[in-house]
Amino acid sequence: AETSGHAAIHNNLGNALLASGRPDAALTSFRRAIDLAPDTAPLHGNLANALMAQGEFDPAAAAYEIALRLAPGNGDWLNRLGNARDAAGHTDAAIAAYRAALASGFDSRAALARQFELLERWEEAIELLAGLAVDRPADVPIQCALGRAYCAAKQLAPALACFERALALKPDEADAQYAIGRIRYGEGAFDAAEAGYRAALDLDPTHSGARFSLGLLLQRERQQPAEAV
């Protein structure tokens, strides 16, 4: 008969199966390990990871919560709990988990900022993303996320600065070129807007936003003489 000592064997097998892309088989191994050693927190965390890989987000969250009851304050599991709650559409619960992760010392600022973006709580998103931008000045996605948040908050000057920094770091960042085009359009600088849209399309000919916006801009230009008559 198997004893609690065999739990590690089933856990190791589960990890190997999960790493090889077989989360369904991994679940069986992790559950067997938990049957043998139910008070071992990492087993519940590993079960939750496999459930996440299966797209079973609410059961995954429940498994992370068991792991956290057995080992309170684990920042990684708190962050993963936030991911599970987010994936299941439970925004408030996700925010609570990400806040707890942050309080534990785990850097969940990017994930927490995404939740605030979903809720259009732009100032809170900006505060988090601005801190990340200071800590990670070469992180292009962070610069772009901060720029988008500034745009949504109608703070166009700092938004433009973010996208220009992103382009300085990564000149082929089509989304940043597109964003600059949109900002210039909002300022009424239509030639600069067109240049931004065209630059985005040069970098990514499939960029639907740039193509649509450029089409609208060119249509506006064609209509201008008729409107002036």
Side-chain angles (χ1 to χ4, degrees):
E2 290 186 312
T3 65
S4 60
H6 292 90
I9 296 172
H10 289 287
N11 183 57
N12 292 338
L13 176 59
N15 284 328
L17 290 166
L18 186 58
S20 67
R22 298 180 58 195
D24 52 342
L27 287 172
T28 300
S29 292
F30 290 136
R31 284 174 172 140
R32 182 58 185 148
I34 288 169
D35 287 342
L36 296 168
D39 295 330
T40 305
L43 302 182
H44 295 276
N46 290 339
L47 175 66
N49 295 340
L51 289 165
M52 285 292 289
Q54 284 282 86
E56 299 182 40
F57 304 124
D58 283 326
Y64 285 129
E65 287 173 341
I66 294 172
L68 286 161
R69 283 198 294 273
L70 294 167
N74 185 301
D76 180 47
W77 288 339
L78 284 164
N79 189 68
R80 290 170 185 261
L81 173 60
N83 294 342
R85 291 305 192 199
D86 175 37
H90 306 310
T91 303
D92 288 343
I95 287 173
Y98 290 136
R99 285 191 188 279
L102 193 58
S104 77
F106 188 94
D107 192 352
S108 59
R109 287 176 293 175
L112 185 55
R114 283 195 297 272
Q115 300 304 307
F116 291 140
E117 290 168 5
L118 289 172
L119 296 172
E120 299 184 357
R121 290 161 59 175
W122 302 115
E123 293 302 327
E124 290 165 284
I126 286 168
E127 182 180 1
L128 291 164
L129 291 167
L132 281 168
V134 170
D135 294 344
R136 307 179 198 171
D139 191 320
V140 173
I142 292 296
Q143 292 291 344
C144 288
L146 179 57
R148 289 191 297 271
Y150 276 129
C151 278
K154 303 189 186 309
Q155 300 180 42
L156 298 186
L160 183 61
C162 288
F163 292 121
E164 288 176 340
R165 280 194 296 271
L167 282 173
L169 293 163
K170 187 182 178 189
D172 63 347
E173 182 58 48
D175 284 342
Q177 287 284 13
Y178 170 57
I180 289 172
R182 292 190 64 189
I183 291 170
R184 293 307 190 193
Y185 186 91
E187 294 173 337
F190 301 121
D191 288 344
E194 181 177 344
Y197 298 148
R198 290 192 184 279
L201 286 168
D202 286 343
L203 293 168
D204 179 8
T206 67
H207 198 295
S208 59
R211 187 168 299 281
F212 178 76
S213 296
L214 179 61
L216 287 180
L217 178 57
L218 294 176
Q219 182 182 31
R220 177 191 180 280
E221 290 176 350
R222 286 194 298 270
Q223 292 171 348
Q224 282 296 96
E227 291 172 358
V229 172

